[in-house]
Amino acid sequence: MGIVSMNAADMIPSAPQRARRAGPHHEVDLSSGPARDTYSALIRFLQKQEPASVERIQLQARRLLEELGVTFNLYRDGTGRDHIISFDPFPRVITPEDWQYLSKGVAQRIAIWNAFFRDIYDGQEILKAGIIPFEIIYDDPHYQRACMGVRVPTDTFVHVGAVDLARNAQGQWMAVEDFVSNPTGAIYALQSRHVLGQICPELFDLANVQPIGGYPTELVEHLRGFSSSASSEPRVVLLSPGSYNVAYFEHSYLARQMGIPLVRGNDLIVLNSRVYIKTIGGLEPIDVIYRRMDDRYMDPLAFQEDSQLGIPGLMTCVRKGTVTIANALGTGLGDNRALMAYLPRMAKFYLGDRLLLPTVKRFVCHDPDQLDHVLEDFDNLTILATTERSNRSQWIPSEMSEPERKQLREQLREHPGKFVGEQKLPLSLLPTTQEASLPGRHAGLRLFALAGRTTHVSPCTLTRFALGPDSAVISSGLGGGIKDTWILTGTDQSAPEAPAIVSSAQRRLRMGSRVADNLFWIGRYAERAENTTRILRVLQQIQLEDQSARHDPLRWAPLWEALASATGHPTHFFKRSGLIKNQNVSHYILLDQNNPSSVYNCLERSRFNAQATRESIPPEVWVVLSRLHGIIERAAFSGKFSDQYEIHQIQEVQDKLLNQLDALSGAVTKTMLHDDGWHFWQIGVQLERAVTTLLVTRQVFIKRQGETNPTQRLDANLDTLLRMLSSLYAYRSLYQSRPAALPVAMMLVQDPQLPRSVLYCLREIEKSLRSSFGESLRDPGQTPLKQCSRLCGEVAFVDLEPLLQPAPGGRGGQSIGRLIDDLTAKTYQLATAISDHYLHHQAFNILR
């Protein structure tokens, strides 16, 4: 694909040409002044690019979006899986004059909605005046009677609002939709700017563009201002339905950029009319909840009784003013599409002014006269559901079959209150790089506003575009793409506001118990995947190097038993299953989805936990997890592992996995704050590492101890044991000799400097517990820290030499196997204590 040669002037028709054009209109045609010059410069830049360069830009954008996990769920897909959102590098350009006009219009609309909600949940003067019919309000399931009389800080109901805009045939900006309950999309605007800056930074030399990266900071500062608490450090959280929500990527990314916890309903609890978050240290009070789910799910005691997503008793806290909800409960009523038709009257009633940004003409089918008009002009309208906003709640009669059109007409006559008709706007086109001729595709614009005592419209604006040539579908949920939006800076623009000088960092909340639990298991699963891959890799490499060893079952038995123990199987598993003989062991250990301990399942669970905790994971860590997932998925569906002659390809996959698992460890260490989250990740890693060392070591040593005269054959397994635990180089550095039983056992169990020794792992766990919870523990009784310290002492002072002496006839006193079994059991007990004490507890100690 390439860009054909053309003059920039050819892309921008003259005024007579624009006047003669019918149907769709081009945004480039409607531009003037600096926007027109910028569009011309963009077109000239693309003309100079070789076809391969344009393909490279698009491929880089796709790869970057995939690594960052910029996804959305496609409703029409039917699989329920997230898909990478489409991106086009040709930006939309808006002049300073247009931006000033749009900002004023959006701010006015948000002010109208705030006045409406203050009235509708109090005196309802607009209903008494007959401006809006009672039925439209009272028949709407989103009208929340439980919110009547509720006072909110600064009388602000809509803290964050958004407006979708388009142009009509005359080029005038029109408001298509207002979003005043749960506006989404700001993060996709930030990602558009980030991706364009990564793949084509030279484009920004063509114009002076307003920065948008400060939006998350502006948002969290804005929300903190609505706290009703006297505390100088308001605690803010973002409430999400969970990782299965279509906009979960936005929730997690926004929470991370704002520096606040992302919570679910079961992470919060109401006690004594206050909302608390469950953390690893106890309960911490919450002052502001930025919600990203519908009203009806927020409190099962006040709204939908069967909701599993909300916080029982939340409405009591709202009524008493101990917590602020943004946007306020009850604003879901603003999703009623019929109300948009009354917005001009609402502007006159509440503000005494006309509407600055006109609304697309809407016909309320509840009105018989307007219903007749809708039925007469059926093919020229779009039919929308009144109270439901989704990608499945609109119909275009001109694109429907005759039976579908007939059925829709019947529904309009039977249930007119459930529908509104909307005037169609002509397609508003922007150039795209999808083809060589920069074809135009329909594009819409979404602006975001932060409202309170004053309203600020952010330059972080979202442009969405349709992928098809005649399509008006720009919704991300139906496969639409995104573009960057350039708000040009004017020459007379005032200097940007000086940044606030913060004397100290905002006190961070303790990490939520659920988040810490996820990070703990990510660490365990990733470490388990690495250990399993390395052990199998070593065993297969030895098979290649020593052909005679294949025919020596005594030589191999303890090594395969070690792999079985490390993966949760009985020690005789491989011998009885015949996997080794049938050459299917690689598939079973690495890729078998029916094997709970397979590397595939470990990485799948690790990524699942990471998905549920994305706000606590740096992008660099997520990228490595995504690469690991890609490697194992491609291998799982390649079919290479069924052929015994593909051993070198198998080892290539193993090497890729081990390299990326090492990269994961480095990314975690270098990019995560060494706070509670990092410590719980490390606790998971060190627990899994200690257990693996114990299980693998046990099989080699009990087999050796069972022999009255250990042979060179059995001692040779010590070399393999060290290789499986990545400790051979360390042993040679310490002893400069062949591996012997006692020094190997002492190093793997008691060496305080070997990263895979049991003692080292336990001391790292002790350090993490001490760093997170300090010396003064809240519980004077048994704690995980005390339990870990005691276990460290047992490991450090045990005398291994008498336990390694051969037992006559395989029987005798205490053996090394019994010691390892005891240490393994106590390590598992430590893991259980950590989970019960910090991760799964229902602590009621309240932190102030």
Side-chain angles (χ1 to χ4, degrees), residues 54-299:
V54 179
E55 290 181 353
R56 175 185 55 80
I57 290 172
Q58 292 179 329
L59 181 62
Q60 285 181 338
R62 171 77 184 182
R63 189 172 298 161
L64 187 57
L65 289 168
E66 185 174 4
E67 288 187 341
L68 293 173
V70 184
T71 61
F72 208 95
N73 188 294
L74 294 185
Y75 295 97
R76 66 184 180 190
D77 181 79
T79 64
R81 299 185 63 183
D82 283 350
H83 294 258
I84 302 301
I85 202 165
S86 300
F87 173 79
D88 187 81
F90 198 107
R92 179 197 287 272
V93 182
I94 298 177
T95 64
E97 294 75 22
D98 273 353
W99 176 246
Q100 186 177 16
Y101 166 71
L102 294 176
S103 297
K104 289 181 178 179
V106 169
Q108 183 201 44
R109 297 177 79 89
I110 301 301
I112 294 170
W113 283 111
N114 267 317
F116 169 75
F117 289 124
R118 285 194 296 269
D119 178 30
I120 210 68
Y121 287 115
D122 192 8
Q124 300 188 339
E125 299 299 329
I126 197 167
L127 300 184
K128 297 173 183 176
I131 305 296
I132 299 176
F134 282 82
E135 296 85 354
I136 290 180
I137 303 299
Y138 294 155
D139 290 346
D140 192 324
H142 298 104
Y143 171 64
Q144 305 297 348
R145 290 170 173 79
C147 295
M148 286 295 296
V150 175
R151 300 298 177 187
V152 297
T154 70
D155 281 342
T156 301
F157 283 77
V158 182
H159 306 83
V160 184
V163 179
D164 273 356
L165 302 166
R167 293 186 194 257
N168 61 14
Q170 293 73 41
Q172 181 186 19
W173 287 103
M174 305 282 290
V176 179
E177 204 79 78
D178 291 351
F179 299 89
V180 292
S181 62
N182 256 326
T184 64
I187 289 307
Y188 294 101
L190 291 173
Q191 290 294 340
S192 298
R193 177 65 56 86
H194 172 70
V195 171
L196 188 61
Q198 290 288 316
I199 65 173
C200 209
E202 56 270 32
L203 279 181
F204 291 93
D205 294 334
L206 304 178
N208 293 323
V209 182
Q210 288 195 38
I212 63 173
Y215 175 79
T217 304
E218 293 175 0
L219 177 57
V220 72
E221 290 178 347
H222 176 69
L223 295 175
R224 289 176 65 190
F226 292 98
S227 170
S228 58
S229 170
S231 171
S232 61
E233 296 181 335
R235 299 172 175 94
V236 183
V237 297
L238 192 154
L239 178 63
S240 169
S243 56
Y244 292 104
N245 186 265
V246 294
Y248 179 72
F249 165 75
E250 179 172 16
H251 302 166
S252 59
Y253 186 89
L254 186 58
R256 176 165 182 78
Q257 294 296 311
M258 294 169 68
I260 62 175
L262 178 66
V263 300
R264 302 178 189 177
N266 57 8
D267 294 328
L268 303 177
I269 188 172
V270 173
L271 292 174
N272 300 323
S273 300
R274 284 227 60 177
V275 180
Y276 296 89
I277 181 174
K278 303 171 188 174
T279 76
I280 56 176
L283 302 179
E284 293 206 40
I286 297 301
D287 301 304
V288 180
I289 298 175
Y290 179 34
R291 69 179 178 102
R292 298 304 296 267
M293 62 186 187
D294 294 344
D295 293 332
R296 61 182 183 272
Y297 301 125
M298 291 292 290
D299 183 353

Side-chain angles (χ1 to χ4, degrees), residues 360-361 379-382 396-399 422-426:
V360 174
K361 183 64 176 178
D379 290 340
N380 298 319
L381 299 174
T382 298
I396 303 176
S398 60
E399 300 178 1
E422 183 177 274
Q423 180 186 37
K424 284 186 182 179
L425 288 178

Side-chain angles (χ1 to χ4, degrees), residues 505-550:
Q506 166 80 358
R507 190 182 72 80
R508 296 175 62 87
L509 288 165
R510 295 306 300 268
M511 175 155 285
S513 297
R514 178 185 57 82
V515 175
D517 186 42
N518 281 324
L519 293 173
F520 171 81
W521 279 105
I522 295 172
R524 290 201 68 172
Y525 282 131
E527 180 66 20
R528 190 176 301 174
E530 180 179 356
N531 294 335
T532 303
T533 305
R534 178 175 288 106
I535 293 171
L536 180 64
R537 178 75 170 83
V538 169
L539 293 178
Q540 291 179 329
Q541 185 64 34
I542 291 177
Q543 281 185 319
L544 290 177
E545 295 172 354
D546 186 359
Q547 297 293 330
S548 63
R550 296 187 178 185

Side-chain angles (χ1 to χ4, degrees), residues 427-490:
L427 299 182
S428 178
L429 307 180
L430 274 173
T432 63
T433 60
Q434 293 181 340
E435 299 174 10
S437 57
L438 294 178
R441 295 290 185 264
H442 178 55
L445 180 66
R446 180 173 294 182
L447 271 60
F448 299 92
L450 306 180
R453 291 185 175 89
T454 60
T455 299
H456 167 65
V457 180
S458 172
C460 177
T461 59
L462 175 65
T463 295
R464 300 178 295 168
F465 71 96
L467 300 183
D470 298 317
S471 173
V473 178
I474 62 174
S475 169
S476 301
L478 293 175
I482 56 176
K483 286 173 171 284
D484 191 15
T485 308
W486 288 5
I487 313 296
L488 301 181
T489 58

Side-chain angles (χ1 to χ4, degrees), residues 528 532 560-575 577 579 585 588-590 592 594-599 601-602 695 698-699 828:
R528 190 176 301 174
T532 303
W560 286 106
E561 289 173 3
L563 177 59
S565 294
T567 54
H569 294 86
T571 55
H572 54 71
F573 176 78
F574 290 105
K575 181 179 179 181
S577 64
L579 286 171
V585 65
Y588 180 78
I589 292 297
L590 294 175
D592 195 333
N594 295 320
N595 172 15
S597 298
S598 69
V599 174
N601 280 324
C602 287
L695 293 175
R698 178 186 186 278
Q699 296 311 122
Y828 278 129

Side-chain angles (χ1 to χ4, degrees), residues 8-33 35-37 39-40 43 90 93 98 167-171 427-431 438 440:
D10 295 336
M11 290 289 297
I12 308 178
S14 61
Q17 288 175 317
R18 295 200 299 270
R20 290 194 298 270
R21 175 173 290 177
H25 54 267
H26 214 292
E27 289 285 341
V28 176
D29 303 357
L30 301 173
S31 63
S32 61
R36 187 182 183 87
D37 296 339
Y39 278 130
S40 299
I43 294 168
F90 198 107
V93 182
D98 273 353
R167 293 186 194 257
N168 61 14
Q170 293 73 41
L427 299 182
S428 178
L429 307 180
L430 274 173
L438 294 178

